Amino acid sequence: MINILVIGSGAREAAIVYKLRKDGQNKFKIVCIGTNKNPTIDNICRLYVFNTITREIVDSFIGINKIHFAIIGPENPLKEGISDLLEENDIPCMGPLSFYAQIETSKIFARQFLNNHGLGEYSPKYLVYNGNNFDKIKKLSDKLV
């Protein structure tokens, strides 16, 4: 039996646990940590805990449940380093390490990454309106149209 941890409680995670159960032919023990109750997940998972998803909670959960593999759906656990924790414990995980998750979780990181790798043309152009720069904003918007 392979113990799989799914982190998240939205529709994406419900689809993941449904597919794991359907295709797993009872080869998987699926457990889940989510932030709220999802009836589909609740009906399928052997254990379903809803709480704030922190490194401490996941760390104790993976030890108690002898997790072999994990899938992380939401951005926030990726940002908080849950993938990093799993890697530190030699547990394969679908979800990038926190450094790489920044491309999705941090606009500043994403823009700097694009600019630093010669992809600045794909970085969104913007100006902050301060009441005195309407002409600059108009010129920028004219360029984009």
Side-chain angles (χ1 to χ4, degrees):
M1 177 86 48
I2 298 172
N3 299 332
I4 299 176
L5 169 62
V6 176
I7 296 178
S9 51
R12 175 185 327 150
E13 294 78 32
I16 289 167
V17 299
Y18 174 81
K19 190 70 171 158
L20 286 170
R21 174 59 65 220
K22 182 178 177 200
D23 293 351
Q25 302 293 324
N26 296 321
K27 295 176 189 169
F28 306 136
K29 174 184 165 190
I30 307 165
V31 296
C32 183
I33 302 173
T35 54
N36 55 40
K37 188 170 182 171
N38 180 310
T40 300
I41 295 171
D42 195 27
N43 288 333
I44 294 173
C45 288
R46 178 114 12 121
L47 176 62
Y48 180 30
V49 174
F50 28 103
N51 202 329
T52 303
I53 301 168
T54 65
R55 286 179 63 99
E56 294 77 21
I57 289 171
V58 174
D59 193 33
S60 71
F61 201 82
I62 60 177
I64 292 168
N65 292 285
K66 296 182 174 63
I67 299 301
H68 298 110
F69 183 77
I71 302 169
I72 301 175
E75 291 175 12
N76 200 47
L78 297 171
K79 179 182 173 185
E80 298 302 319
I82 301 302
S83 294
D84 305 56
L85 171 70
L86 293 161
E87 182 172 276
E88 291 162 14
N89 286 277
D90 296 320
I91 299 170
C93 173
M94 287 183 64
L97 298 174
S98 60
F99 176 80
Y100 301 108
Q102 291 179 93
I103 196 83
E104 185 69 27
T105 62
S106 168
K107 288 180 174 77
I108 292 170
F109 178 87
R111 287 184 176 123
Q112 287 173 342
F113 178 88
L114 291 168
N115 291 331
N116 292 342
H117 292 87
L119 301 168
E121 65 188 281
Y122 301 108
S123 182
K125 307 295 183 253
Y126 67 95
L127 288 172
V128 176
Y129 178 68
N130 65 15
N132 297 320
N133 61 351
F134 180 77
D135 290 338
K136 287 182 182 178
I137 291 174
K138 176 87 169 94
K139 286 178 189 176
L140 177 63
S141 68
D142 289 345
K143 284 182 185 179
L144 298 176
V145 177

